Amino acid sequence: EVEEMAKETKSDAVVGLGQDQRRKLINATAQMSVDNELYLRNNPELANMLRDFTKKVLEEKPENVKQFAVDYFVNGKQN
């Protein structure tokens, strides 16, 4: 699995790293993915919120997505 990720991780940032640094980055990235997946599984309401927000963005296609997110999450303008 680490080798698969190595093939997928061919960005400019990774190219300049040594082999040991690249392996550490790949392992850290893999661990972060696992941690994030577990967090989402343990907090399904977050996945629901993100799905609803994404749906609203795609429906309304706001010019300023950052401001739309502030309005949506901070100011409670979901409708």
Side-chain angles (χ1 to χ4, degrees), residues 52-62 68 78:
D52 293 344
F53 172 72
T54 301
K55 181 180 176 185
K56 196 77 164 170
V57 167
L58 293 174
E59 286 173 354
E60 297 195 18
K61 296 177 178 44
F68 186 85
Q78 283 92 10

Side-chain angles (χ1 to χ4, degrees), residues 9-34:
T9 312
K10 295 279 185 182
S11 70
D12 291 338
V14 175
V15 172
L17 298 178
Q19 188 174 10
D20 187 50
Q21 291 173 317
R22 185 177 293 149
R23 184 166 304 284
K24 286 179 182 178
L25 176 62
I26 291 167
N27 288 338
T29 302
Q31 185 60 51
M32 188 183 322
S33 293
V34 169

Side-chain angles (χ1 to χ4, degrees), residues 36 39-40 42-52 73:
N36 291 344
Y39 186 83
L40 284 172
N42 291 325
N43 297 281
E45 66 279 4
L46 176 59
N48 293 337
M49 288 172 49
L50 293 172
R51 183 196 66 235
D52 293 344
F73 289 110

